Amino acid sequence: MHQALFSFIENYMPLSINEKDAIIALNIFKSVKKNEILLHEGEYTKNSFFVLKGCLRCFYVVDGNEKTTAFYTELEGLTPPSVASQTASQFYIAAVEDSIISTSTSDMEEQVMAQFPKFEKLCRLLSEDLLIKQQIDFNEFKLSSPEQRYQNLLNKRPDLIQRVPQHQLASYLGITPQSLSRLRGRITTKSN
Amino acid sequence: MHQALFSFIENYMPLSINEKDAIIALNIFKSVKKNEILLHEGEYTKNSFFVLKGCLRCFYVVDGNEKTTAFYTELEGLTPPSVASQTASQFYIAAVEDSIISTSTSDMEEQVMAQFPKFEKLCRLLSEDLLIKQQIDFNEFKLSSPEQRYQNLLNKRPDLIQRVPQHQLASYLGITPQSLSRLRGRITTKSN
């Protein structure tokens, strides 16, 4: 699993043996089981999560119903906003599949940056990239009908549609499972 | 206007006289008139924008209609996603009011970071902050009805409601101007 992380980082900058060793020494990898909850609503955390293998899901519970807001798969990461504000989390994070993830805290990141200043640059580039991706997703979400959102997902993250239970996918798209089912029917009919 | 920018930066880290001089030397401030277009759909840009005073708006044109996706007011900044991908912009940026903005390019930022490495940290912290704010906004948007979105705006950015034309605000909330007008009516009635 280290190799997957190193390859990801090396998209941004080369890593020396010492730098790789420093990452390995952090001992950040963790296996989580399908449906395991990594963060509960109301819980305090200092952790950022990064998916090496598998799929994580963020969801809120509103009036007793789950509202899924995000999925994170291979080489995607998230820091809950409650980490920075040091407040209770407003949402849950759960594993959709058996997964291997890395967890890190800002203290650990600061430590590595103090030892290897170029990680500062890495973190900046990663944040900038995530910011851009999120901005594109947000704009697309605002501009799209549920049908267009589903089409975007088919184009950009087709694997997700296979991996994620339909009711979670419907919630993520902001529609009912019945509407999703009708929508899939229409799209299949069109493409035949 | 420099002082406003310095105060903003000094929320993250202190600035020396030399560092302030380096920023002044970049000559990044610019006045723009109300309704002036800073970026057109289809245009290539290397610029990031930061609002010192005034208000900028991002909008797409879909089937001949403007769809507003974001407003940026004092001490908020944006880098269009097309800067990183070096592609044509998919949206417009226009001034809602007479504004004073700073524009910078990643080349300029790299130059300043080479001279003053601590700006690397500043840029990382800024990106991380923006990422969190955007994530909160995105989650709220997904979880909210148009009425709740308007209420959120009333709580978090009440100035915007006064400053921005109603049809742009309605478009930003994802509703028609008529719906916005009814919604305002309902909220006013409730609060009386």
Side-chain angles (χ1 to χ4, degrees):
Chain A
M1 275 302 121
H2 284 113
Q3 198 43 53
L5 182 61
F6 295 155
S7 300
F8 173 74
I9 294 174
E10 286 179 329
N11 289 329
Y12 293 90
M13 52 174 56
L15 285 174
S16 70
I17 302 278
N18 281 349
E19 288 158 350
K20 289 183 183 176
D21 285 346
I23 293 173
I24 293 171
L26 290 172
N27 195 17
I28 48 181
F29 295 113
K30 195 178 160 182
S31 289
V32 290
K33 287 275 165 211
K34 181 175 173 173
N35 295 329
E36 193 174 325
I37 306 271
L38 301 176
L39 179 68
H40 290 80
E41 182 190 337
E43 191 181 333
Y44 287 74
T45 186
K46 292 185 167 184
N47 285 333
S48 294
F49 304 92
F50 185 83
V51 180
L52 274 303
K53 193 170 163 22
C55 180
L56 300 183
R57 173 173 76 102
C58 291
F59 63 96
Y60 290 71
V61 174
V62 183
D63 302 330
N65 298 313
E66 288 185 7
K67 290 260 194 182
T68 296
T69 51
F71 295 102
Y72 297 88
T73 56
E74 283 75 14
L75 305 183
E76 294 184 326
L78 85 148
T79 302
S82 61
V83 171
S85 57
Q86 295 181 33
T87 53
S89 177
Q90 297 196 309
F91 58 73
Y92 293 80
I93 303 176
V96 176
E97 309 167 344
D98 290 347
S99 303
I100 299 172
I101 61 167
S102 80
T103 55
S104 60
T105 65
S106 58
D107 290 349
M108 282 161 64
E109 285 159 18
E110 295 285 346
Q111 230 174 55
V112 175
M113 285 189 253
Q115 204 181 343
F116 300 103
K118 81 182 199 194
F119 278 100
E120 182 85 55
K121 182 170 188 167
L122 175 67
C123 288
R124 172 176 69 84
L125 295 172
L126 281 173
S127 294
E128 288 177 357
D129 259 19
L130 280 174
L131 189 64
I132 291 168
K133 279 188 194 140
Q134 192 176 259
Q135 199 186 337
I136 293 172
D137 285 348
F138 197 178
N139 286 349
E140 274 186 5
F141 193 90
K142 284 181 185 162
L143 294 172
S144 307
S145 65
E147 182 154 345
Q148 286 166 330
R149 277 177 214 152
Y150 182 73
Q151 277 289 5
N152 282 340
L153 215 57
L154 268 178
N155 296 335
K156 287 170 74 174
R157 301 181 74 181
D159 63 303
L160 211 57
I161 293 173
Q162 306 304 324
R163 293 167 75 171
V164 164
Q166 291 309 295
H167 66 282
Q168 292 177 3
L169 196 65
S171 167
Y172 175 69
L173 293 166
I175 56 178
T176 63
Q178 293 73 23
S179 299
L180 175 59
S181 174
R182 279 196 299 274
L183 208 158
R184 293 180 78 144
R186 277 204 299 279
I187 287 171
T188 313
T189 312
K190 266 189 211 165
S191 63
N192 284 342
Chain B
M1 276 303 123
H2 284 113
Q3 198 44 54
L5 181 60
F6 296 155
S7 301
F8 173 74
I9 293 175
E10 285 178 330
N11 288 329
Y12 293 90
M13 53 175 56
L15 285 174
S16 69
I17 302 278
N18 281 350
E19 289 158 349
K20 289 183 182 175
D21 285 347
I23 293 173
I24 294 171
L26 291 172
N27 195 18
I28 49 181
F29 295 113
K30 194 178 160 182
S31 290
V32 290
K33 287 276 164 209
K34 182 176 172 173
N35 295 329
E36 192 174 327
I37 306 272
L38 301 176
L39 178 68
H40 290 81
E41 182 191 338
E43 192 180 333
Y44 287 74
T45 185
K46 292 186 167 184
N47 284 333
S48 294
F49 304 92
F50 185 82
V51 180
L52 275 303
K53 193 170 164 20
C55 181
L56 300 184
R57 173 174 75 102
C58 292
F59 64 95
Y60 290 71
V61 174
V62 183
D63 301 331
N65 297 314
E66 288 186 8
K67 291 259 193 181
T68 296
T69 51
F71 295 102
Y72 297 87
T73 55
E74 282 75 16
L75 306 183
E76 293 183 326
L78 85 148
T79 303
S82 60
V83 172
S85 57
Q86 295 181 33
T87 53
S89 178
Q90 297 196 309
F91 57 74
Y92 293 79
I93 303 177
V96 176
E97 308 167 343
D98 290 348
S99 305
I100 300 172
I101 61 167
S102 79
T103 55
S104 60
T105 64
S106 57
D107 290 348
M108 282 162 64
E109 285 159 19
E110 295 285 347
Q111 228 174 56
V112 176
M113 285 188 252
Q115 205 183 342
F116 301 103
K118 81 182 200 195
F119 278 101
E120 182 86 55
K121 181 169 188 168
L122 175 68
C123 288
R124 171 176 71 83
L125 295 172
L126 282 173
S127 293
E128 288 176 358
D129 258 19
L130 280 174
L131 189 63
I132 290 168
K133 279 187 195 141
Q134 192 176 258
Q135 199 186 338
I136 293 172
D137 285 348
F138 197 0
N139 286 348
E140 274 185 7
F141 193 91
K142 283 181 184 162
L143 295 172
S144 307
S145 65
E147 183 154 345
Q148 287 166 331
R149 276 176 214 154
Y150 183 72
Q151 277 288 6
N152 282 340
L153 214 58
L154 268 178
N155 296 335
K156 287 170 73 173
R157 302 181 73 180
D159 62 303
L160 211 55
I161 293 173
Q162 307 303 324
R163 293 167 76 170
V164 163
Q166 292 308 296
H167 66 282
Q168 292 176 3
L169 196 64
S171 165
Y172 175 68
L173 293 166
I175 55 179
T176 62
Q178 293 74 22
S179 299
L180 175 59
S181 174
R182 279 196 298 273
L183 207 158
R184 294 180 78 145
R186 278 204 298 279
I187 287 170
T188 313
T189 311
K190 266 189 212 167
S191 63
N192 283 342

